[in-house]
Structure formats: structure tokens, C-alpha cells
Amino acid sequence: MRRPVHNALAPADAAALEILGLGDPRAADPALTGGKAASLSRLAARHRVPPGFVVALPGATLDRAARAAVLAAYRRLGERCGVPDPPVAVRSSAVDEDGGDASFAGQHDTFLNVSGADQVWWAIARCVASFAGDRALAYRRRAGVADAPARAAVLVQELVPADAAGVVFSAHPVTGARDEVVVNAAWGLGESIVAGTVTPDAIVVGRDDLAVRAHAVADKRRMTVAVPGGVREVPVPGRLARMPAVDPAQARAAAALAIALGRETGGPVDLEVAWAGPDLFLLQCRPITTLDRPHRSHHT
């Protein structure tokens, strides 16, 4: 029997736990739902964002009332998705994540392909506990922010059954060139790219004309796939490893999305995306915090 997981955040205040659907106006408030969830909630009305909900937490313990509310929201998500126990991704969204000075990428626990009420509740509780983990605490101290966020939130979204996934930069992350978009793509779910265990394809797309300027196909030997109860990294089968994970049209669509989001948010962004069949899904959008000063592209 698992012990209850407590929220080791700031002292409790009078605010209560709230559960908000992506697209709800209140979910777009980063002071309530954190940068990650607030950004996706604002973008859900205009872009293809997987459906989901945000559990917005004050500094308090996750109790039975919270569990009942979370499981009711999960049932509603299942009704929307058309399945009783939809597989979901469970991710953190602290109020000081994804800001201009610190992105917190990879500092808190993420759980993928979680299905069923008990497992979803467990994943949310573990995600909340990770806000007080050693890894997050060390990162916070290096970034010069408070040891614990005043509020926290957990984002629960339908898991996209991705054929390929990628990270897209609306400006070149190495050269700083603002006239180039870089699309990194690999087979399966995006966890292998985020974790750095696979070298993805790198596609450079011109910002003005969306022409593919370079397409380096990597030897993608590993991929993350959904398995019962979670995900697993497995070998990429056969010759698929040396085949492009996405075609030029898919890369151009991802580049166009990054350009549009950069304009909407007022600065360079990096995205996490997934391709499932003909559809491109937006999984995350955050400002690029490590971009050097602009340089002239060597292509111009």
C-alpha cells in the first residue's frame, strides 16, 4: 500500500484546489496554473492541442476530496475522448516554470501513457512530490528562484499516439539566426528526444519561404513507444532508423506553427510536437531562454 504523497510547497493559504479544462479562461492565468498549462490553454482555442485539464494546487495536502475531484475530471476527459480510461500524459506546471529566466525543462517528473483512475491519481501525486525533489531544488537554487513555488499545477492531457515527435525552434538555437527554423524529429513519442537518448533528424527551414534548406537524417536507433502501464524505449526496427521521421511537408507545417506561435507570444519559442497520421499536435510552447544574440545566417 502506497503512502499518501504530500505537497511540499509553500504554507497553505485560503485558496482551494481547482480543476480547470484546457481552454477555460481561468486556466490561461499563469499565476494559477503555471506557465506551461496557461500557455497551452490560451493556444488550445486556435491550435490542435490534445484535450485535458489542469489541477491547480495551493500549498496543501492532496486529500480525498482532491482525489474525488481529479477522478471526476478524468471521467469527463474519457467521455470527450470517447474511451472510458483514456491514456494520458501527466506533467508539472509550477507558477515559475517556463518564464524568461528559467524553463525548468526536465526538472520535474513526467508520466506518459497513464491509464485508469488509480494510476492517474498516483501519477499526479508523484508529480506534485517532484516539486520538492532534489533535482528541482538544485535547479531552483542555480536559477536564483525560491526553493518552492507558491502554487503548483499538474497538467493531464490525452496522450497522442505519435508516429513521430519533435522539438521545433522558431530561431536557430546554435547560430542564433532568426531567419531559420530548426525542426528536430524522431520516431515514436518525444521522450527519447527530450531525454537525449536519440539523435534526431535535423531539418532547417527558411522562415520567409518555408523552403527546406537542409535535412540531415540521423541514425535513429532508439524510440519511445507506449506499452501497457507506461512507455518503453526500444530499438527502431530495421531500416526505419535511417529513414526520415517526417517528410518535407510535415517539417514545413511544424515550422509554420513555430513561426506563428513566435508571433503570438512576442519572441522566439521552442515547441514540442507530435505527428499522428496526417495530424500535427502542439504539446508544449515555451520561450527560448538560451538563445544568443542574433547572427546573420550563412545562407543569406
Side-chain angles (χ1 to χ4, degrees), residues 35-95:
K36 183 184 302 177
S39 173
L40 283 177
S41 191
R42 287 192 299 268
L43 297 171
R46 300 183 300 278
H47 302 283
R48 191 186 293 272
V49 174
F53 59 89
V54 189
V55 182
L57 294 157
T61 300
L62 289 172
D63 56 17
R64 290 183 179 180
R67 177 186 173 95
V70 164
L71 299 189
Y74 180 61
R75 285 194 298 271
R76 291 193 296 271
L77 180 61
E79 292 168 0
R80 180 173 179 181
C81 297
V83 293
D85 290 316
V88 295
V90 180
R91 306 176 188 271
S92 69
S93 185
V95 296

Side-chain angles (χ1 to χ4, degrees), residues 163 186-189 192 197-199 218-225 232-245:
D163 303 309
W187 298 112
L189 303 176
S192 292
T197 57
V198 65
T199 300
D219 187 5
K220 303 173 292 297
R221 299 186 180 185
R222 308 290 293 175
M223 64 189 294
T224 301
V225 299
R232 179 180 301 162
E233 193 172 70
V234 299
V236 173
R239 287 181 287 183
L240 199 64
R242 289 293 304 165
M243 293 178 64

Side-chain angles (χ1 to χ4, degrees), residues 265-300:
T265 59
V269 294
D270 79 77
L271 317 179
E272 291 181 24
V273 299
W275 292 268
D279 297 323
L280 172 66
F281 290 89
L282 174 62
L283 306 181
Q284 189 164 320
C285 175
R286 59 189 170 224
I288 300 178
T289 60
T290 58
L291 197 64
D292 291 333
R293 291 180 301 172
H295 300 290
R296 289 184 60 83
S297 167
H298 62 275
H299 293 289
T300 59

Side-chain angles (χ1 to χ4, degrees), residues 33-269:
T33 61
K36 183 184 302 177
S39 173
L40 283 177
S41 191
R42 287 192 299 268
L43 297 171
R46 300 183 300 278
H47 302 283
R48 191 186 293 272
V49 174
F53 59 89
V54 189
V55 182
L57 294 157
T61 300
L62 289 172
D63 56 17
R64 290 183 179 180
R67 177 186 173 95
V70 164
L71 299 189
Y74 180 61
R75 285 194 298 271
R76 291 193 296 271
L77 180 61
E79 292 168 0
R80 180 173 179 181
C81 297
V83 293
D85 290 316
V88 295
V90 180
R91 306 176 188 271
S92 69
S93 185
V95 296
D96 49 5
E97 277 188 339
D98 296 343
D101 298 318
S103 74
F104 285 86
Q107 302 306 313
H108 301 132
D109 289 348
T110 292
F111 299 89
L112 303 178
N113 196 34
V114 183
S115 183
D118 289 342
Q119 290 304 310
V120 168
W121 172 251
W122 177 84
I124 290 172
R126 294 305 310 163
C127 198
V128 170
S130 75
F131 284 102
D134 291 342
R135 181 175 56 186
L137 180 60
Y139 184 90
R140 286 177 173 281
R141 290 176 175 171
R142 289 195 303 271
V145 299
D147 282 357
R151 291 186 64 93
V154 178
L155 175 62
V156 180
Q157 282 182 285
E158 181 185 22
L159 184 75
V160 175
D163 303 309
V167 177
V168 189
F169 300 90
S170 69
H172 200 298
V174 177
T175 68
R178 281 0 189 227
D179 64 339
E180 294 180 333
V181 180
V182 177
V183 180
N184 291 330
W187 298 112
L189 303 176
E191 194 69 6
S192 292
I193 299 178
V194 174
T197 57
V198 65
T199 300
D201 298 343
I203 307 107
V204 179
V205 179
R207 182 183 181 91
D208 293 335
D209 57 5
L210 293 181
V212 175
R213 296 179 176 178
H215 192 155
V217 179
D219 187 5
K220 303 173 292 297
R221 299 186 180 185
R222 308 290 293 175
M223 64 189 294
T224 301
V225 299
V227 297
V231 296
R232 179 180 301 162
E233 193 172 70
V234 299
V236 173
R239 287 181 287 183
L240 199 64
R242 289 293 304 165
M243 293 178 64
V246 297
D247 61 33
Q250 290 174 308
R252 287 194 297 268
L257 177 61
I259 293 167
L261 290 170
R263 288 173 178 158
E264 288 181 29
T265 59
V269 294

